[in-house]
Amino acid sequence: MGTLVYALCALTSLACAVLLLRGYAASRARLLLWSGLCFAGLAANNVLLLIEKRLVPSMDLSLWRSLPALAGVALLLYGLVWESR
């Protein structure tokens, strides 16, 4: 059951990233770009979680999982702070 939840979270994050980036391509609203990149990082985080829990349960990938999420949130923060000026 946990694998299904992890996979659905990854798919949902990926769908959000695709929709946001498509919206950015259509309207060129910069906030959509930063939000899409954030969700892409969160999707990568969820995919790595799925790999860690299902394929290699003996390895601890928590540091590698955190890096895409950190990068995504940092990009969103950058977009929120610097694009508002």
Side-chain angles (χ1 to χ4, degrees):
M1 187 66 166
T3 304
L4 177 66
V5 171
Y6 298 143
L8 288 175
C9 289
L11 289 174
T12 303
S13 298
L14 184 62
C16 288
V18 167
L19 290 173
L20 286 165
L21 292 173
R22 270 185 37 194
Y24 169 72
S27 70
R28 294 294 182 204
R30 301 275 297 178
L31 187 56
L32 291 175
L33 171 67
W34 301 119
S35 299
L37 292 175
C38 176
F39 271 97
L42 295 175
N45 178 355
N46 286 324
V47 168
L48 286 172
L49 176 65
L50 184 61
I51 290 171
E52 178 184 2
K53 297 297 181 188
R54 189 67 180 155
L55 298 179
V56 286
S58 61
M59 291 180 61
D60 181 25
L61 299 177
S62 60
L63 176 65
W64 296 107
R65 263 191 304 125
S66 299
L67 291 177
L70 177 66
V73 172
L75 284 170
L76 182 60
L77 182 63
Y78 171 81
L80 289 172
V81 171
W82 294 107
E83 295 294 328
S84 66
R85 294 183 179 184

